[in-house]
Amino acid sequence: MKRIASACFLLVASSIGAQSGECPVAPDHSTGVSDVIAQIQAAETEQAARALSNQLWEYWTDAPDESAQAVLDRGMTRRSAWDLLGAIKDFDKLIAYCPSYAEGYNQRAFAYFLQQDFQAALPDLDKAIELSPNHVAAISGRALTLLGLQRIDEAREALSQALELNPWLSERHLMAPGGPLAPPGEDI
C-alpha cells in the first residue's frame, strides 16, 4: 500500500513540477504582446484582427515550464469538454505551483464563469490583469463577469479598457445602442 501511495505522490508531483521545487519565471512576452496589440489596433477588418488575436493566445498560454504547460493544457482540455470541476482542480494546481503566471488565473476564472460563479471568477481575473495588464481576454472576461454580477457601470468601464486595446472584440456589440452596456442615454 505504501508503494502505491508513493507512486501516486510521484505522479502528481511530476505533473505539477514539484520535482524542481518551484516554478520558474514565465517567459516575458510583453514586447510581443504590445506589438500584436498595435497591429490589431491598426487592422482594417475584424477578420485581420481575429487572426492577430490568435497570436496573443500563443503568448499567454506559453507556460513557465513543461510541467506547468502540461497542467495548463490538461485543464484547458477539460474545460473545453465541460469537465469544469476537473479543469478548476488543474488550474488550482497550476496556480499553487506558478502563482505569478497570469494565465492560470485567467483560465480558472473562465471555468468559474462557465459555471456562472461570477463571484469566484472576479478575483482571478483581477489577479490575471495585475500580472499581465494588457491581457485583453482577462479584461473583457472581467467585463462579462461584472455584467453577470449586474455591476453595469464597472462592466462598461472594463469593456472600454479592453476595447482600447482591441477595438475589434466581438464583445464591442454590448456597448452599441440598445446593448446591455450601452452608455446611459444611448437607446435605440
Side-chain angles (χ1 to χ4, degrees):
M1 186 69 164
K2 205 174 209 180
R3 275 191 185 161
I4 293 171
S6 294
C8 288
F9 174 78
L10 289 174
L11 181 63
V12 170
S14 67
S15 74
I16 60 171
Q19 298 166 327
S20 62
E22 63 181 64
C23 180
V25 175
D28 181 6
H29 294 301
S30 56
T31 301
V33 167
S34 294
D35 290 347
V36 172
I37 288 173
Q39 292 174 46
I40 289 170
Q41 292 168 340
E44 295 187 19
T45 66
E46 184 172 1
Q47 185 177 18
R50 187 171 293 135
L52 290 164
S53 293
N54 291 336
Q55 291 179 26
L56 291 174
W57 283 109
E58 291 174 25
Y59 290 129
W60 293 329
T61 59
D62 184 16
D65 67 12
E66 289 180 24
S67 296
Q69 191 69 56
V71 175
L72 174 66
D73 292 345
R74 186 178 62 228
M76 291 173 65
T77 298
R78 286 179 170 174
R79 189 207 62 236
S80 294
W82 286 89
D83 175 7
L84 300 178
L85 294 177
I88 290 168
K89 286 179 183 177
D90 281 334
F91 300 136
D92 287 344
K93 290 176 188 175
L94 178 59
I95 290 166
Y97 175 55
C98 297
S100 61
Y101 177 51
E103 197 56 34
Y105 297 96
N106 184 55
Q107 290 298 323
R108 186 170 69 181
F110 188 25
Y112 283 137
F113 179 86
L114 292 173
Q115 287 181 322
Q116 296 186 352
D117 188 349
F118 306 123
Q119 290 289 354
L122 194 57
D124 278 350
L125 290 165
D126 289 341
K127 185 65 175 179
I129 295 164
E130 175 189 323
L131 294 169
S132 182
N134 285 343
H135 199 309
V136 180
I139 299 168
S140 63
R142 186 174 189 277
L144 295 173
T145 299
L146 289 164
L147 179 60
L149 291 168
Q150 297 300 307
R151 293 165 56 179
I152 304 303
D153 291 338
E154 292 172 87
R156 185 180 303 115
E157 183 180 329
L159 187 53
S160 292
Q161 291 170 351
L163 290 171
E164 285 178 25
L165 297 170
N166 181 351
W168 295 100
L169 288 173
S170 59
E171 293 87 353
R172 72 185 184 275
H173 302 294
L174 297 171
M175 293 186 71
L181 298 180
E186 291 190 20
D187 297 345
I188 341 184

